Amino acid sequence: DADDIVLQRYVLAVLFYSTDGTNWDDALGFLSADTAECEWNVYDNVAESLVGVVECGNTIGMKSDTDATATPPPTEEGPSDPCRDDGAVAYSPIRSLVMPRNGLLGAIPSELGLLTNLTVLDLSQN
C-alpha cells in the first residue's frame, strides 16, 4: 500500500540524515527518486556481497557484479523495478539492511523500529 512505501522511504531518509549520509563513503543510491528502495545497494568487491538494502520481501538485493542477477532492463510498460509489480506500486518490505564500514556518523534513529519486517541490521564498524 502507498502509505507503507512512504513510511519505508521516510525511515530510510531519517537514517540517511541522522547519520550524515551526504558524507557516507558510498551513498548506496539512498534517496534516489527514480529507484526503488530495494535497489539502494551496491556490490562490495572486497566483502564479496551486497551492501545497503540487501533484501526486500522475497527479493534478495537486485544489483550484482554479474549481469545474470542484475536488475532487468525497462519494458514498454515502464522502468523495471524489482520492488514493484509490472510498474504498479506494490509494497515490498525491507528485511535486511547491511551497511558496515560506510562512514555513518551520529545516532541511529529510533524510526528504524518502524521497519517491522527488518530482521537483519548491520551497521558495524562505522
Side-chain angles (χ1 to χ4, degrees), residues 15 19 24 30 52 97-104 107-109 112 118 120-126:
L15 174 66
T19 58
W24 288 353
F30 267 60
L97 184 60
V98 178
M99 300 169 53
R101 301 171 310 281
N102 200 33
L104 280 70
I108 304 304
L112 278 177
L118 187 67
V120 174
L121 177 64
D122 180 357
L123 304 175
S124 63
Q125 301 176 18
N126 279 290

Side-chain angles (χ1 to χ4, degrees), residues 16-99:
F16 182 84
Y17 289 113
S18 295
T19 58
D20 196 24
T22 57
N23 290 309
W24 288 353
D25 294 342
D26 190 321
L28 306 168
F30 267 60
L31 308 185
S32 175
D34 54 346
T35 306
E37 310 89 89
C38 295
E39 292 186 29
W40 292 357
N41 57 56
V42 297
Y43 188 82
D44 182 338
N45 289 316
V46 174
E48 296 183 348
S49 64
L50 286 172
V51 177
V53 178
V54 175
E55 182 180 356
C56 284
N58 296 325
T59 304
I60 303 299
M62 298 306 295
K63 291 188 179 175
S64 173
D65 61 338
T66 66
D67 290 335
T69 57
T71 302
T75 65
E76 289 181 24
E77 292 82 34
S80 175
D81 191 335
C83 292
R84 310 288 187 257
D85 287 336
D86 300 325
V89 174
Y91 173 60
S92 187
I94 294 174
R95 298 189 186 282
S96 182
L97 184 60
V98 178
M99 300 169 53

